[in-house]
Amino acid sequence: MGTYINIGNAGFQSARNGEYVDKSGLIAVVNGTLFTERRFGCVTRCRRFGKSMAAKMLYAYYDHSCDSRNLFADLEIVRDPSFEKHLNKYAAIYLDMTNFVSQYKSDDIVDKIDAALLEDVSKAYPDVAIAQDDKLMDYLLRVSIAKEEHFVFIIDEWDAICREFAPGTKAMDAYVSWLRRLFKSQDAMRVFACAYMTGILPVKKYKTESALNNFIEYSMVVPRSMARFFGFTKDEVRTLAEKNGIDFEDLVKWYDGYQIGNEPSMFNPNSVMQAIDNGYCTSFWASTGAYDAVAHYIQMNYEGLKDDIIQMLAGGRCKVNPTKFQNDMSIVRSKDDVLTVLIHLGYLSYSWQKSECYMPNKEVAGEMVNAIEDNNWTEVAKALEASEQLLEATLRGDEEAVARGVDAAHDEHTSILSYNNENSLACVLSLAYYYARNNYIVHREFATGKGFADLVMIPRKKVSSPAIILELKYNKDADTAISQILRKQYPAKVADYSGEMLLVGINYDKEQKTHQCHIERINKS
């Protein structure tokens, strides 16, 4: 057994020894790229979304030094026609780049990587001589010719060097040259059945010939055919919840909400598994190590960024153009770049159909609030702190307290948002009721051209509080808002709800710069 080659299937065996969600269908996707022009893939997703687990599974499947049949016997992949064809058929190399980055900070780090792999591979082929000036790729080519061997090369955390060394440094230039020598020459097609790189960021966009443009990118923005393997699906999480006796709705509230490609509802895998292990849901996001970077990017505060963060905290969505980002966290030049970085880090989700981003769930929103507080966004922090009191006042029907609370939220946000229509009012109110998301599913409903905006809050399962419908008016009166709710026979989001409801009418008087509130309590059965 080697250090980088012929390392066996122990890594995947450990995963199978515990609770395991079957993502073996990924193997069939990769099998479909073997020996094709698409054989070089860079599969990137945010931390704790199962990158290393997938890499270990692939290695266990391809490595010809072990027999992994029993590890896959009960998994989806055995039903695929390609399973037998490629099972344990290749010389496989596994490189975890973080092992080197943690040890070496010098410009010659790439030389050390190449030398370590060359030494290990040469031990696996003692009858194939090494020439005096051989580098890794020279030797792999020699082995491939002599043994009629094809290699599968798996690089985990490929971008660790990119995060450690700045663009234009000797180490970065050497790393790009090393990757090009391995994977972008004619020799690469002869040596490799495939290469699979995984990390956080897609391959950097270079303007020179050093571009690694032969890699097919699979990312949080463009996952292609791998979307369903990027996280846990709703059905997978429901099965886990039933098996382990944990509340499925809590898992949805905390960890659901990612749209990845055409998959509309994906969960953070690491957080789900930690919640199951703990027996309850809480935030595990801080352990991802991305928080400092997020706080740094928010502090940049490019024009319009603060408005967008507030809009998303309030449950809204914001336009984003991810195509200009250079896939380099040290080169962030615009609001779009910041939002794109946050998508790759998992702090935002991305809808490619509408080119919009949004905060996916309670766990992420909580960490974003922490970042906002640490960046002295005091006006936002105050509104969030007051949101619990505003919800309590609403539930007890205290109209004056609700009006005062909305006044305070308005005062905090007049310097940020243009407060001149019902859409702006809805955004501020959504943020003011931020605390309600703990116990409610909150919907913002806008009817185009009708001049109204509803906030609809449906209690989550096992929550005994009433549903809340807020009708928002600008320069009219609160009673008109209540009348409108009754006239249109409730918004669509409460059509299937039965139980106690609070109808809350809120109006903003532009001249007086104050709010009025009227609350009615009814039963819908």
Side-chain angles (χ1 to χ4, degrees):
M1 181 177 289
T3 304
Y4 307 103
I5 190 171
N6 299 336
I7 65 175
N9 56 25
F12 188 53
Q13 177 70 68
S14 296
R16 292 306 322 268
N17 288 341
E19 189 84 62
Y20 179 72
V21 173
D22 185 359
K23 293 295 180 180
S24 65
L26 173 65
I27 296 170
V29 177
V30 179
N31 282 349
T33 70
L34 266 60
F35 301 105
T36 72
E37 294 292 329
R38 301 170 56 249
R39 72 184 72 185
F40 303 114
C42 185
V43 185
T44 54
R45 37 187 153 159
C46 51
R47 288 182 174 93
R48 306 299 188 263
F49 263 64
K51 298 185 301 294
S52 296
M53 177 75 76
K56 290 173 182 175
M57 176 187 70
L58 289 168
Y59 191 91
Y61 174 76
Y62 289 119
D63 182 12
H64 67 186
S65 73
C66 58
D67 182 357
S68 299
R69 184 177 302 277
N70 289 338
L71 286 177
F72 294 99
D74 60 340
L75 300 183
E76 173 188 340
I77 185 58
V78 299
R79 299 189 295 274
D80 191 88
S82 70
F83 176 70
E84 292 289 345
K85 181 177 180 180
H86 300 291
L87 176 64
N88 300 131
K89 294 293 197 306
Y90 301 97
I93 301 172
Y94 187 96
L95 172 62
D96 184 347
M97 202 61 72
T98 58
N99 289 338
F100 283 91
V101 170
S102 62
Q103 294 181 65
Y104 305 110
K105 308 297 181 183
S106 57
D107 286 340
D108 63 348
I109 183 173
V110 176
D111 290 336
K112 295 181 183 299
I113 294 170
D114 192 87
L117 268 65
L118 176 59
E119 179 182 5
D120 199 50
V121 173
S122 67
K123 290 178 181 178
Y125 299 95
D127 55 339
V128 179
I130 301 178
Q132 183 176 359
D133 296 326
D134 266 356
K135 297 295 185 182
L136 175 64
M137 187 55 181
D138 302 317
Y139 188 68
L140 291 177
L141 179 60
R142 187 172 291 112
V143 170
S144 184
I145 294 171
K147 299 292 188 179
E148 297 184 349
E149 190 88 85
H150 288 95
F151 290 86
V152 169
F153 201 151
I154 297 173
I155 303 179
D156 197 8
E157 300 289 354
W158 86 272
D159 55 338
I161 285 185
C162 307
R163 300 194 300 268
E164 186 68 28
F165 295 91
T169 59
K170 182 179 178 181
M172 267 304 302
D173 289 345
Y175 186 44
V176 172
S177 297
W178 185 73
L179 291 173
R180 289 190 72 238
R181 174 68 183 105
L182 281 170
F183 303 124
K184 204 181 175 183
S185 65
Q186 282 300 113
D187 295 340
M189 306 297 279
R190 188 171 187 175
V191 170
F192 297 109
C194 78
Y196 180 96
M197 299 199 309
T198 184
I200 297 173
L201 293 179
V203 174
K204 177 177 165 58
K205 297 176 182 176
Y206 294 94
K207 296 181 180 179
T208 68
E209 292 182 359
S210 63
L212 296 166
N213 56 9
N214 61 324
F215 273 85
I216 305 298
E217 300 277 6
Y218 308 83
S219 71
M220 298 292 282
V221 173
V222 186
R224 304 177 192 267
S225 56
M226 294 191 183
R228 75 180 178 97
F229 308 112
F230 270 42
F232 287 171
T233 66
K234 187 162 284 188
D235 286 342
E236 289 167 345
V237 174
R238 184 179 286 106
T239 298
L240 286 170
E242 292 172 354
K243 179 180 178 181
N244 292 278
I246 191 167
D247 189 274
F248 173 67
E249 293 301 323
D250 273 353
L251 294 171
V252 171
K253 175 176 70 174
W254 278 91
Y255 315 122
D256 188 14
Y258 289 95
Q259 177 177 340
I260 302 179
N262 289 324
E263 294 290 335
S265 182
M266 300 289 279
F267 290 67
N268 178 325
N270 178 70
S271 295
V272 169
M273 297 309 294
Q274 289 209 52
I276 288 172
D277 187 51
N278 279 16
Y280 60 89
C281 296
T282 187
S283 177
F284 303 103
W285 198 251
S287 63
T288 65
Y291 172 78
D292 289 342
V294 172
H296 169 70
Y297 294 125
I298 289 178
Q299 194 172 26
M300 290 179 177
N301 197 23
Y302 287 101
E303 184 176 358
L305 177 62
K306 185 176 287 189
D307 286 8
D308 282 356
I309 296 296
I310 291 171
Q311 176 82 4
M312 289 186 285
L313 276 173
R317 298 186 173 211
C318 297
K319 288 291 183 180
V320 59
N321 177 5
T323 62
K324 294 182 179 179
F325 180 53
Q326 296 298 301
N327 298 335
D328 188 327
M329 292 173 67
S330 66
I331 304 177
V332 177
R333 298 169 175 164
S334 67
K335 180 185 73 171
D336 280 330
D337 284 353
V338 172
L339 296 177
T340 305
V341 169
L342 295 179
I343 291 168
H344 286 300
L345 291 174
Y347 278 80
L348 297 176
S349 185
Y350 175 68
S351 168
W352 66 268
Q353 294 95 334
K354 297 183 178 180
S355 296
E356 292 177 341
C357 59
Y358 59 94
M359 290 182 197
N361 53 48
K362 176 179 172 62
E363 180 181 44
V364 171
E367 291 305 308
M368 190 67 75
V369 169
N370 290 339
I372 285 171
E373 291 175 346
D374 288 351
N375 278 280
N376 298 317
W377 289 18
T378 54
E379 66 276 11
V380 182
K382 286 180 181 178
L384 295 174
E385 289 173 3
S387 65
E388 182 176 4
Q389 287 74 29
L390 181 61
L391 177 62
E392 290 175 352
T394 305
L395 291 174
R396 67 174 180 266
D398 190 335
E399 297 173 344
E400 291 186 3
V402 171
R404 288 195 303 270
V406 176
D407 277 338
H410 167 228
D411 292 341
E412 297 295 348
H413 293 293
T414 48
S415 61
I416 306 170
L417 296 168
S418 57
Y419 201 76
N420 57 8
N421 57 41
E422 288 163 347
N423 188 13
S424 299
L425 176 61
C427 179
V428 171
L429 261 292
S430 295
L431 192 65
Y433 279 96
Y434 174 83
Y435 184 82
R437 296 176 187 275
N438 289 317
N439 293 321
Y440 287 88
I441 299 173
V442 180
H443 305 277
R444 285 176 58 180
E445 292 193 340
F446 298 104
T448 305
K450 298 297 185 181
F452 63 83
D454 296 316
L455 292 183
V456 181
M457 297 189 280
I458 306 298
R460 297 182 183 274
K461 291 181 180 179
K462 301 182 180 179
V463 173
S464 58
S465 300
I468 301 173
I469 302 177
L470 292 96
E471 185 73 26
L472 313 173
K473 285 297 168 191
Y474 181 81
N475 240 21
K476 294 182 181 176
D477 61 71
D479 288 337
T480 299
I482 293 292
S483 298
Q484 185 162 319
I485 296 175
L486 296 172
R487 244 190 351 264
K488 64 184 181 182
Q489 299 181 333
Y490 317 119
K493 296 296 183 186
V494 296
D496 297 327
Y497 174 80
S498 61
E500 189 177 28
M501 295 172 50
L502 294 180
L503 309 184
V504 182
I506 297 176
N507 178 66
Y508 176 64
D509 188 311
K510 182 180 178 181
E511 297 298 324
Q512 300 295 323
K513 293 186 166 59
T514 58
H515 296 81
Q516 302 84 39
C517 174
H518 180 58
I519 299 174
E520 290 190 14
R521 191 180 299 266
I522 66 172
N523 278 294
K524 181 176 182 288
S525 57

